[in-house]
Every structure is written in C-alpha cells, then in structure tokens.
Amino acid sequence: MVFDLDLIRKTYSEMPAKVDAARKALGRPLTLAEKILYAHLWEGVTIRDYARGKDYVDFAPDRVAMQDATAQMALLQFDTTGRKKVAVPSTVHCDHLIVAKDESKIDLAKAVADNEEVYNFLSSISNKYGIGFWKPGAGIIHQVVLENYAFPGGMMIGTDSHTVNAGGLGMIAIGVGGADACDVMAGLSWELLMPKLIGVKLTGQLNGWTSAKDVILKVAGILTVKGGTNAIVEYFGEGAVSMSCTGKGTICNMGAEIGATTSTFGYDESMSRYLKATGRADVAAAADQIKEYLTGDAEAYAHPEKYFDQVIEINLSELEPHLNGPFTPDLATPISQMTAAAAQHNWPSKIEVGLIGSCTNSSYEDISRAVSLAKQAKEKGLTLKSEFTITPGSEQVRYTIERDGFLSVFESVGARVFANACGPCIGMWDRMGAEKKERNTIVHSFNRNFAKRADGNPNTLAFVASPEMVTALAIAGDLTFNPLTDTLINDKGEAVHLDPPYGDELPVRGFAVEDAGYQAPAADGSGVVVDVKSDSKRLQLLYPFAAWEGTDLNGLRLLIKAKGKCTTDHISMAGPWLKFRGHLDNISNNLLIGAVNFFNEKTDFVKNQLTGEHGTVPGTQRAYKAAGVGTIVVGDENYGEGSSREHAAMEPRHLGVRVVLVKSFARIHETNLKKQGMLALTFANKADYELIREDDVIDVKGMTEFTPSNPLHLILHHADGTTDTLVANHSYNAQQIEWFKAGGALNVIRRQMAK
C-alpha cells in the first residue's frame, strides 16, 4: 500500500526548481542534505547561505511520526491547541509499552490488557485528529516508517531519537520532542539550527563477517557520542552505493548515538529495489524522474573537503567487525582486539544472553544472515551456549520470515521470539534474575547500551554488534570468540569453523503479511470524544506552565550537581516508568533518580537545603516547590544524551526547576528544555563547574536584558559568606526567548490559534 502518494509527487514536482534556486543563491554545488533542507524551507524564508551551527532556520516537514510512549504527551499538548485536524500526515505507533518476558503472543496479550486505557486514548485521539494509528504488535515505529512512509528527498520529524532511521531511504528525518511535533501538526513552521555537515566517504565493499552495522560502530568510535552534535552525516561513495537500503537504515539509525541531527544517503538502485519490494513502485518511478536531485552534486562528492565541515573515509573492504561497549555506544573494539580488551578491563567473557532485532537491525537481510549461522550450528553439531532472543521489527518482517522458515530454525536451536516491539532495547525486558544485580555480559544488535538500560541491572555489561556477530557469539557463549579465526568444539569433539554469514537483501518470494496492524482515521473526527478520567493513573490532562515573572531569578537552591554521564535515561528512566508517560505528575517521581550526585557519589540522594536532611531527588524537589523555592540543576558534558523524550524536560519544569546549567548539551534535550520554558545555560568557562557548592544560594542576573548572544551572570552565594560570579552562555534566539517569557512554546501556539 502506498501512503500519501499525492504529497510525494507534489514534493518531487517542486524540488528541482527549489534546488536550482538554492544552488544559484549559494553559487556552488550542493550536498544531498543541503538539497533537502533548502527544498523544505518554510514559505517566505529567504534562500541564502545560512551559517552552519549558528543560524536558526524555519522548515516545513512533510510528515510527523510518534511512538506510543511519546505520543501521549505530544497529543495531550496538541489537544489544547484548538486545531480540528493535523496539518500534515501523521502517525502513531504502539511499540514501546510491550514487555518482553515469555514469547510474542503471551507478551502482546498481556500488554494489550495492561495498557488498554492508553491504547484506547491513542486510538481515539488519532481518530479525532486524522492521524494514522498502528496497533500494538504492528511493529517498531522506525521499521514501519521505512516500510511504508519514508521516501527519498523527503523531510520528516518524529518523537523518537531514532527517527533518523529513515535516512536509509534518503530522507532528512529528525528526532524531536512532542512540542516540536505539536508545532508541525498545528500547521506552524519548525525551527532548526542549520546543521553542520559531516561527509563519510565509503570505498570498497562489505564482505564476509562485516556488515553495515560495523560501519556505524566504527564511526561512533571515531566521532564519540557527541561528535555529531548539530551536524548531518552524509554517506557517499562506491561503498555507499554497494550497500542495501536497510543496511543504510541501520547506519542512519545509530547516528543518534553520535549525537547527529540526522544521517542520510543519496538515492540509488538499492532504494529503488526496496521501494518496489515494499509495494511502492509508484514512489520509485517518481523518484527516478528526478534522481539527480535526490543525491549530492558530483562535484561535492569529488571534492568533499570543500563542501563538508569534516570528512571521514572508511574502506569497507578493510573494515573489521566491531563490538562497542560496555555502558556507552562509542567504545569501539575490533573483534580481533576483544580478547586483550576483555582481559585489560576484566569484562566477564561468559555471554549470558544474545539478543537480535530491534529498530536498528531487524530487516529481512539481517535476519536471513543470522539464521544462516543458526542453520550452520545445527549442521555442524553446535548448540547455543547463551540464551538467544529475536525481536522482529514489524509484522510484515515477522510474517515473511515465518513463511520462509527462519523462525522455525531459530526455535529449533532454542531461541525465543519476542513481540514486534522495542522490548529489551528500551528496558522493557522482564529478565529473570536481573534483580540480583550480578555482574554479567550480554551482546545485542540494538543501538544503546547505557547502564541499566536493557534489564535495569547496573552491572549488566552490554556490547553492541551486528545480528550475525551476536548470533555467532551466542553460539560460542564467549565474548572473546572471534569467528573469523577461532574454532568451536562440536558434539563429536571436533573443532569446527563457522563459515561467514550469508543472506538475501530482500525476500525472493516478496514480502507478505495478513494484517499489518494499520487503522485509518475517521474521515470526519469531529464527533469523536477523547476521554481522560480525572482519577487516571496513566493519563493526565495538561495545564499551561506559568509565564516568566519578568525579573531576575534570585534565591535559587541547588537540586543536584550531576557528575559524569547524565543521559535522558538518568533524567527520566524508561522501563517500568513508561506506563506513566501520559501522566506528568506521576512520571515526575522518577526525576533525575539515575543521576550521580557530585557531593556524595550516590544516586537519588540529595540534600534539602531547607531542612538539612537528605532524600530522593523528586521528593526533595517537591518540597522546594511546596515552599515556593526555585531550583537549579547543574550537569556535566553532553547533558541529556540519548533519546528524544521530552519528559526529561517537562518533569523538572513541572516540579519547579528553573535553570539547567551544564558544560554542554545534547541537541534534542536542549531544544526540549527551551520548548518547555526552561532556562538552558552552559558554562562560559567549563572549569566553573567546580565552583558550585552543595549549599549555594544562586541568583541569575541579566534576565531583563535577556537577548540573543547576550550571556547571563550567576552569583553563587556560598554558605561561608563568600561569593563567586560566573558567566553563563545560551543559544536562545528571539523566538525561543519568547517561548521562555510565555512559559513555554505551547503557550505561544495557543495564543496564535486563538486569533
């Protein structure tokens, strides 16, 4: 089925003229990212050479996608705008609330029962506002989008950081918070800092044990978790053309792990093949008509150093399989070096569980390469030494791999198949024994591996690898096993090699599915009633946040000075807390409970300056709020790294935190704080982080002169009677300052809609 074909054809009919105009205005060849960005400028926005990393620009995305955990808050916000219908095609995907425990049918049935109230809310509000609804079990948002909605040259935003997966089909697809989605669904422009451009030239060709996953694992090792911040990563070269479309999606998906705004590839035959295989031959035909506009100009790729801010070159023919981790997705170790690394760091070599699938690696090609190893294991007399699980990315993929016999092969070697959902990747894994908090090793083909993320155990060491490498390691049960060189002992006592994996890029017999799980919205939703019970524990209607009082922020108390890595998982945990994503007050009880307190090295244990006693972070903050005392949160580098979850910004706002001051921000989190009317500041001198003391009373001066590029000053009143003054920078533009003054961007939207 082809969705929104008229929109795609309209985009393609207008794109050549828009790109030609941009090329003329800039006076030079263009990269693919620039072509798509300039083709999606908001109507009336001047075409000029915007300064990368400095200028904010208004854009007009083609569509919006939301997963069920973030859609709740996004749609609760949209419900207050006064719009009768979404202004652009939008979808909701129920993938985050399904707990992986037993097997797909049992887990899905339990999720439907446990989350009935939330699913009914999302279904009805989607019906009311003209939003496509994908039911529980339909699949993971990013896989479903790639199969049904992504198209070369398009622009979309999604309320999940891995929205960037759609770059595998040549889109500019960007993860955002719900407030951004609300803007676009309400028919307003969407603002983005003009990204810097990182070019990755791929030469050679993948072979043997190496896969597309290893490309992004290598890039993550080069750029680190913040090396792509405020940048688009554009892949090109013969190596890029030689890869499958879904392989490109894997690479783009994990671009979120380097902080990139998004990643993308130029349109080529692999994308055309994928579009045709997923029932979108009409889209492929339309793209073929303007294919030169759906990739970077030849000159830009021939001399990338002239057109990109940074260029990386990787020879795929020489690339080695990697394992990244533990605890961070950028700690990259080539498989040949894992034995030495495990010994050096005392990583447990015994692998307890291998997990494949997720939004990152659940394509037909991924599964077919992994199943080729499972077949070998049976044929060569090998048995799995680790527990092994498979998470299909969509019902279409699941149905097809079942038809083709893959699932029966996996099950014959003892694997378990989970529901078509996020599951362990986002902490929705009821793992037996995790509560014991024993130190152990797992390997998976997911994207993130922060502490506690998969199973809630801070002592689980998670390593990220390709599905085929995870399968091989699960067969061996040993982190130091190198399938390229090592042998395994079979049931006859023989030493045997695993042959390199193989598989089909696309199913030879085509994709198949009986019920993809899609629910179209009502043609007229005006009569649909969205019911949220006043005593609900899962859903809560929103109220407008208070506007800025028009004065400096004086007498603030320090809630917490976070030490080291503080991701959105630390600020607003997922896992069991996902069930409260539609209830702001209830989910605020997880505020910063994972952050490490600088002053005592503990989590969820901070000093209440009003009483002198120590308590939980949310409990202490609620006490400050009850007393009418504003607070400040202080953080380290890349604060807010991780997912797009705006709850990490809404929770502190709801509980009365006024300022977040850090060494540096992750892009999405900084934007989310701004959208919610928070003051997001960075140390002008990062060493000033050391000046913050536990008992400080802090004043923020210069608020009445709050203007773009004008820094603010913080006065630290120490308990010993001394003071320190530090300079705090910000990146607010004029529009964002209006959000702050109004008490949040949503208040500005409400005013506009009321006119």
Side-chain angles (χ1 to χ4, degrees):
M1 180 178 180
V2 181
F3 291 90
D4 310 313
L5 184 59
D6 289 343
L7 178 150
I8 296 170
R9 285 173 170 163
K10 181 176 185 294
T11 299
Y12 286 171
S13 70
E14 297 173 352
M15 194 165 186
K18 290 180 177 179
V19 170
D20 290 344
R23 193 185 288 114
K24 181 179 180 181
L26 274 60
R28 58 173 173 78
L30 301 177
T31 66
L32 170 62
E34 289 175 312
K35 289 181 180 181
I36 301 175
L37 289 171
Y38 279 95
H40 286 84
L41 290 176
W42 185 253
E43 185 176 357
V45 171
T46 303
I47 301 176
R48 64 178 178 83
D49 198 355
Y50 290 98
R52 300 173 190 168
K54 293 182 179 180
D55 290 340
Y56 284 92
V57 186
D58 287 341
F59 293 98
D62 298 309
R63 65 178 310 109
V64 173
M66 298 164 280
Q67 39 95 334
D68 50 355
T70 53
Q72 295 173 63
M73 200 58 69
L75 293 176
L76 284 166
Q77 292 178 83
F78 182 80
D79 193 43
T80 70
T81 64
R83 287 278 311 194
K84 302 300 182 185
K85 190 175 183 179
V86 291
V88 301
S90 304
T91 52
V92 167
H93 305 259
C94 295
D95 61 0
H96 270 59
L97 301 178
I98 302 169
V99 176
K101 182 180 181 181
D102 297 310
E103 55 85 26
S104 58
K105 291 182 180 179
I106 295 173
D107 294 344
L108 179 59
K110 187 175 189 306
V112 170
D114 290 349
N115 302 303
E116 181 181 16
E117 179 183 11
V118 172
Y119 292 148
N120 286 345
F121 164 74
L122 291 173
S123 174
S124 63
I125 200 167
S126 296
N127 216 16
K128 183 177 182 65
Y129 292 118
I131 299 169
F133 180 74
W134 290 82
K135 303 172 187 176
I140 306 173
I141 176 173
H142 314 302
Q143 180 69 23
V144 173
V145 165
L146 196 72
E147 292 175 0
N148 295 277
Y149 298 111
F151 66 95
M155 174 185 267
M156 69 174 287
I157 61 171
T159 59
D160 189 284
S161 55
H162 292 100
T163 299
V164 294
N165 186 80
L169 253 176
M171 290 196 88
I172 292 293
I174 301 175
V176 300
D180 279 344
C182 188
D183 284 357
V184 175
M185 291 189 295
L188 304 178
S189 61
W190 176 64
E191 180 187 72
L192 177 70
L193 185 69
M194 181 60 79
K196 296 180 180 179
L197 300 178
I198 298 174
V200 180
K201 182 178 181 180
L202 301 178
T203 61
Q205 189 168 344
L206 294 170
N207 60 83
W209 283 92
T210 310
S211 73
K213 182 76 161 207
D214 298 301
V215 176
I216 186 58
L217 295 179
K218 174 73 171 179
V219 171
I222 295 170
L223 288 175
T224 78
V225 291
K226 65 175 187 174
T229 302
N230 291 324
I232 292 178
V233 182
E234 184 170 328
Y235 294 84
F236 62 94
E238 61 177 355
V241 174
S242 70
M243 284 192 295
S244 67
C245 175
T246 52
K248 293 176 173 71
T250 292
I251 292 170
C252 292
N253 182 296
M254 272 198 71
E257 275 54 71
I258 57 173
T261 299
T262 193
S263 305
T264 196
F265 286 78
Y267 178 65
D268 60 21
E269 283 302 311
S270 73
M271 296 184 191
S272 177
R273 290 193 298 271
Y274 186 74
L275 286 168
K276 293 170 184 174
T278 51
R280 292 173 289 173
D282 287 344
V283 177
D288 288 341
Q289 295 299 310
I290 61 162
K291 59 185 178 181
E292 68 270 23
Y293 290 95
L294 301 176
T295 190
D297 287 337
E299 168 66 16
Y301 291 161
H303 302 283
E305 68 283 353
K306 295 181 180 180
Y307 304 98
F308 293 91
D309 299 289
Q310 181 180 356
V311 179
I312 297 168
E313 185 168 338
I314 297 174
N315 185 339
L316 301 184
S317 300
E318 299 174 356
L319 183 63
E320 188 176 345
H322 278 61
L323 284 167
N324 283 29
F327 304 130
T328 186
D330 61 345
L331 181 56
T333 304
I335 189 65
S336 63
Q337 298 175 25
M338 180 50 73
T339 298
Q344 177 186 351
H345 298 288
N346 193 31
W347 294 331
S349 61
K350 183 178 185 297
I351 296 171
E352 302 294 339
V353 191
L355 308 98
I356 66 170
S358 84
C359 68
T360 322
N361 277 109
S362 60
S363 68
Y364 187 88
E365 180 181 38
D366 289 330
I367 303 302
S368 66
R369 283 172 63 85
V371 84
S372 75
L373 295 171
K375 289 178 181 177
Q376 280 192 60
K378 289 195 67 177
E379 294 165 356
K380 297 185 178 186
L382 298 170
T383 57
L384 291 173
K385 296 297 191 296
S386 306
E387 185 181 344
F388 190 53
T389 71
I390 297 95
T391 303
S394 72
E395 175 58 15
Q396 179 167 267
V397 166
R398 189 212 62 79
Y399 188 93
T400 304
I401 63 175
E402 181 179 44
R403 179 202 66 188
D404 291 351
F406 294 176
L407 291 187
S408 62
V409 172
F410 283 131
E411 290 167 353
S412 71
V413 297
R416 279 191 298 161
V417 180
F418 287 144
N420 313 323
C422 299
C425 184
I426 60 161
M428 295 297 278
W429 181 21
D430 189 357
R431 182 185 178 191
M432 185 178 297
E435 72 283 354
K436 298 176 183 177
K437 298 186 177 180
E438 295 172 336
R439 194 163 186 261
N440 73 105
T441 292
I442 65 174
V443 291
H444 61 57
S445 66
F446 307 157
N447 38 53
R448 292 190 177 134
N449 55 353
F450 304 142
K452 297 185 180 182
R453 182 172 177 90
D455 61 3
N457 178 2
N459 299 312
T460 292
L461 284 69
F463 293 84
V464 183
S466 67
E468 47 267 58
M469 188 58 63
V470 171
T471 306
L473 291 172
I475 294 170
D478 189 341
L479 187 67
T480 65
F481 173 67
N482 182 352
L484 284 74
T485 58
D486 298 346
T487 58
L488 296 170
I489 304 300
N490 69 8
D491 55 6
K492 297 179 181 178
E494 302 166 333
V496 296
H497 278 283
L498 287 175
D499 299 323
Y502 61 89
D504 293 318
E505 173 186 328
L506 296 164
V508 174
R509 297 164 58 193
F511 284 107
V513 67
E514 286 185 349
D515 179 7
Y518 176 69
Q519 173 185 293
D524 179 6
S526 58
V528 176
V529 176
V530 178
D531 181 29
V532 177
K533 300 175 183 177
S534 60
D535 61 348
S536 173
K537 303 298 183 185
R538 301 288 301 271
L539 298 164
Q540 181 186 48
L541 294 175
L542 296 177
Y543 60 90
F545 289 132
W548 173 53
E549 54 268 67
T551 63
D552 288 338
L553 305 181
N554 295 320
L556 303 180
R557 304 303 177 102
L558 177 69
L559 174 60
I560 188 172
K561 180 178 177 179
K563 180 179 180 180
K565 187 184 282 284
C566 192
T567 71
T568 49
D569 278 5
H570 295 86
I571 304 168
S572 174
M573 285 186 179
W577 292 94
L578 280 172
K579 61 178 173 286
F580 296 126
R581 284 285 180 87
H583 197 294
L584 182 55
D585 194 58
N586 281 346
I587 199 169
S588 293
N589 288 322
N590 77 1
L591 174 65
L592 284 160
I593 62 176
V596 176
N597 185 351
F598 177 91
F599 298 106
N600 58 24
E601 302 282 336
K602 296 180 179 180
T603 58
D604 202 23
F605 196 66
V606 295
K607 184 177 181 180
N608 182 332
Q609 294 187 46
L610 302 181
T611 65
E613 298 176 352
H614 282 75
T616 66
V617 180
T620 301
Q621 181 55 40
R622 286 186 185 277
Y624 286 134
K625 181 179 181 180
V629 175
T631 57
I632 180 172
V633 169
V634 174
D636 214 316
E637 295 280 9
N638 206 30
Y639 184 87
E641 169 194 346
S643 77
S644 69
R645 69 190 66 152
E646 66 181 339
H647 298 79
M650 295 187 79
E651 290 175 34
R653 180 72 165 105
H654 170 65
L655 292 183
V657 177
R658 303 300 301 273
V659 182
V660 179
L661 171 67
V662 300
K663 292 181 182 179
S664 64
F665 282 107
R667 176 191 65 84
I668 300 177
H669 187 63
E670 182 180 21
T671 299
N672 285 344
L673 288 169
K674 292 176 179 179
K675 284 281 187 177
Q676 300 304 331
M678 294 281 285
L679 196 58
L681 305 175
T682 55
F683 291 99
N685 178 5
K686 293 183 179 182
D688 286 346
Y689 171 88
E690 303 298 333
L691 296 177
I692 308 291
R693 302 180 191 175
E694 190 172 32
D695 295 317
D696 283 348
V697 177
I698 303 169
D699 300 333
V700 182
K701 299 296 185 181
M703 295 302 302
T704 55
E705 294 82 38
F706 187 23
T707 54
S709 303
N710 188 28
L712 300 172
H713 293 81
L714 275 68
I715 301 176
L716 312 178
H717 300 277
H718 304 307
D720 62 7
T722 62
T723 62
D724 279 302
T725 300
L726 59 87
V727 178
N729 292 332
H730 68 83
S731 61
Y732 287 76
N733 61 23
Q735 176 175 287
Q736 293 166 347
I737 290 173
E738 287 306 308
W739 297 343
F740 172 79
K741 291 180 177 179
L746 192 56
N747 291 345
V748 175
I749 295 176
R750 289 190 186 99
R751 288 204 304 254
Q752 293 173 334
M753 292 297 165
K755 293 179 180 178

mmCIF file of all heavy atoms in Angstrom, residues 377-383 385 488-496:
data_model
loop_
_atom_site.group_PDB
_atom_site.id
_atom_site.type_symbol
_atom_site.label_atom_id
_atom_site.label_comp_id
_atom_site.label_asym_id
_atom_site.label_seq_id
_atom_site.Cartn_x
_atom_site.Cartn_y
_atom_site.Cartn_z
ATOM 1 N N ALA A 377 24.970 -24.008 12.890
ATOM 2 C CA ALA A 377 25.130 -24.577 14.222
ATOM 3 C C ALA A 377 24.521 -25.976 14.279
ATOM 4 O O ALA A 377 25.115 -26.920 14.819
ATOM 5 C CB ALA A 377 24.490 -23.662 15.265
ATOM 6 N N LYS A 378 23.318 -26.106 13.704
ATOM 7 C CA LYS A 378 22.655 -27.418 13.698
ATOM 8 C C LYS A 378 23.439 -28.417 12.837
ATOM 9 O O LYS A 378 23.670 -29.565 13.239
ATOM 10 C CB LYS A 378 21.228 -27.283 13.163
ATOM 11 C CG LYS A 378 20.259 -26.580 14.099
ATOM 12 C CD LYS A 378 18.826 -26.803 13.674
ATOM 13 C CE LYS A 378 18.423 -28.261 13.849
ATOM 14 N NZ LYS A 378 17.002 -28.503 13.519
ATOM 15 N N GLU A 379 23.851 -27.975 11.662
ATOM 16 C CA GLU A 379 24.532 -28.859 10.725
ATOM 17 C C GLU A 379 25.893 -29.319 11.239
ATOM 18 O O GLU A 379 26.333 -30.440 10.945
ATOM 19 C CB GLU A 379 24.693 -28.161 9.372
ATOM 20 C CG GLU A 379 23.370 -27.896 8.658
ATOM 21 C CD GLU A 379 23.515 -26.902 7.514
ATOM 22 O OE1 GLU A 379 24.638 -26.367 7.327
ATOM 23 O OE2 GLU A 379 22.508 -26.647 6.822
ATOM 24 N N LYS A 380 26.551 -28.473 12.020
ATOM 25 C CA LYS A 380 27.913 -28.780 12.481
ATOM 26 C C LYS A 380 27.958 -29.313 13.907
ATOM 27 O O LYS A 380 29.029 -29.449 14.493
ATOM 28 C CB LYS A 380 28.784 -27.527 12.347
ATOM 29 C CG LYS A 380 28.931 -27.071 10.901
ATOM 30 C CD LYS A 380 29.890 -25.905 10.744
ATOM 31 C CE LYS A 380 30.028 -25.527 9.267
ATOM 32 N NZ LYS A 380 31.050 -24.494 9.028
ATOM 33 N N GLY A 381 26.778 -29.593 14.464
ATOM 34 C CA GLY A 381 26.750 -30.203 15.780
ATOM 35 C C GLY A 381 27.045 -29.248 16.917
ATOM 36 O O GLY A 381 27.572 -29.662 17.957
ATOM 37 N N LEU A 382 26.715 -27.994 16.744
ATOM 38 C CA LEU A 382 26.937 -26.991 17.788
ATOM 39 C C LEU A 382 25.613 -26.640 18.460
ATOM 40 O O LEU A 382 24.551 -26.692 17.832
ATOM 41 C CB LEU A 382 27.553 -25.718 17.188
ATOM 42 C CG LEU A 382 28.925 -25.874 16.529
ATOM 43 C CD1 LEU A 382 29.279 -24.601 15.772
ATOM 44 C CD2 LEU A 382 29.992 -26.205 17.570
ATOM 45 N N THR A 383 25.682 -26.278 19.709
ATOM 46 C CA THR A 383 24.500 -25.814 20.434
ATOM 47 C C THR A 383 24.770 -24.445 21.018
ATOM 48 O O THR A 383 25.925 -24.077 21.289
ATOM 49 C CB THR A 383 24.127 -26.781 21.574
ATOM 50 O OG1 THR A 383 25.258 -26.929 22.443
ATOM 51 C CG2 THR A 383 23.718 -28.130 21.031
ATOM 52 N N LYS A 385 25.393 -21.652 23.488
ATOM 53 C CA LYS A 385 25.935 -21.590 24.841
ATOM 54 C C LYS A 385 25.322 -20.441 25.639
ATOM 55 O O LYS A 385 25.553 -20.326 26.839
ATOM 56 C CB LYS A 385 27.453 -21.415 24.785
ATOM 57 C CG LYS A 385 28.199 -22.594 24.159
ATOM 58 C CD LYS A 385 28.014 -23.869 24.961
ATOM 59 C CE LYS A 385 28.966 -24.961 24.501
ATOM 60 N NZ LYS A 385 28.709 -25.394 23.110
ATOM 61 N N LEU A 488 35.230 -23.863 17.225
ATOM 62 C CA LEU A 488 34.388 -24.304 18.332
ATOM 63 C C LEU A 488 34.379 -25.835 18.350
ATOM 64 O O LEU A 488 34.547 -26.479 17.304
ATOM 65 C CB LEU A 488 32.957 -23.778 18.160
ATOM 66 C CG LEU A 488 32.783 -22.254 18.209
ATOM 67 C CD1 LEU A 488 31.366 -21.876 17.777
ATOM 68 C CD2 LEU A 488 33.083 -21.717 19.595
ATOM 69 N N ILE A 489 34.162 -26.413 19.512
ATOM 70 C CA ILE A 489 34.123 -27.875 19.643
ATOM 71 C C ILE A 489 32.671 -28.333 19.566
ATOM 72 O O ILE A 489 31.823 -27.892 20.343
ATOM 73 C CB ILE A 489 34.760 -28.330 20.969
ATOM 74 C CG1 ILE A 489 36.189 -27.803 21.078
ATOM 75 C CG2 ILE A 489 34.723 -29.850 21.067
ATOM 76 C CD1 ILE A 489 37.112 -28.262 19.968
ATOM 77 N N ASN A 490 32.388 -29.232 18.633
ATOM 78 C CA ASN A 490 31.009 -29.685 18.436
ATOM 79 C C ASN A 490 30.698 -30.907 19.303
ATOM 80 O O ASN A 490 31.515 -31.340 20.127
ATOM 81 C CB ASN A 490 30.722 -29.946 16.963
ATOM 82 C CG ASN A 490 31.480 -31.153 16.424
ATOM 83 O OD1 ASN A 490 32.121 -31.893 17.162
ATOM 84 N ND2 ASN A 490 31.391 -31.359 15.121
ATOM 85 N N ASP A 491 29.520 -31.487 19.091
ATOM 86 C CA ASP A 491 29.068 -32.596 19.939
ATOM 87 C C ASP A 491 29.847 -33.886 19.703
ATOM 88 O O ASP A 491 29.699 -34.865 20.453
ATOM 89 C CB ASP A 491 27.567 -32.835 19.736
ATOM 90 C CG ASP A 491 27.189 -33.078 18.287
ATOM 91 O OD1 ASP A 491 28.097 -33.186 17.432
ATOM 92 O OD2 ASP A 491 25.985 -33.153 17.994
ATOM 93 N N LYS A 492 30.696 -33.896 18.698
ATOM 94 C CA LYS A 492 31.551 -35.053 18.439
ATOM 95 C C LYS A 492 32.987 -34.820 18.898
ATOM 96 O O LYS A 492 33.871 -35.646 18.647
ATOM 97 C CB LYS A 492 31.543 -35.386 16.943
ATOM 98 C CG LYS A 492 30.185 -35.805 16.400
ATOM 99 C CD LYS A 492 30.252 -36.102 14.911
ATOM 100 C CE LYS A 492 28.875 -36.492 14.373
ATOM 101 N NZ LYS A 492 28.923 -36.738 12.909
ATOM 102 N N GLY A 493 33.198 -33.656 19.520
ATOM 103 C CA GLY A 493 34.544 -33.338 19.978
ATOM 104 C C GLY A 493 35.437 -32.782 18.890
ATOM 105 O O GLY A 493 36.657 -32.659 19.072
ATOM 106 N N GLU A 494 34.846 -32.425 17.758
ATOM 107 C CA GLU A 494 35.619 -31.901 16.629
ATOM 108 C C GLU A 494 35.702 -30.380 16.693
ATOM 109 O O GLU A 494 34.771 -29.704 17.136
ATOM 110 C CB GLU A 494 34.955 -32.303 15.308
ATOM 111 C CG GLU A 494 34.794 -33.806 15.123
ATOM 112 C CD GLU A 494 33.833 -34.135 13.986
ATOM 113 O OE1 GLU A 494 32.946 -33.312 13.694
ATOM 114 O OE2 GLU A 494 33.989 -35.226 13.402
ATOM 115 N N ALA A 495 36.822 -29.853 16.228
ATOM 116 C CA ALA A 495 36.979 -28.409 16.117
ATOM 117 C C ALA A 495 36.415 -27.965 14.775
ATOM 118 O O ALA A 495 36.841 -28.454 13.715
ATOM 119 C CB ALA A 495 38.452 -28.020 16.224
ATOM 120 N N VAL A 496 35.433 -27.061 14.788
ATOM 121 C CA VAL A 496 34.789 -26.619 13.550
ATOM 122 C C VAL A 496 34.794 -25.101 13.456
ATOM 123 O O VAL A 496 34.771 -24.393 14.464
ATOM 124 C CB VAL A 496 33.328 -27.128 13.457
ATOM 125 C CG1 VAL A 496 33.300 -28.644 13.398
ATOM 126 C CG2 VAL A 496 32.509 -26.626 14.630
#
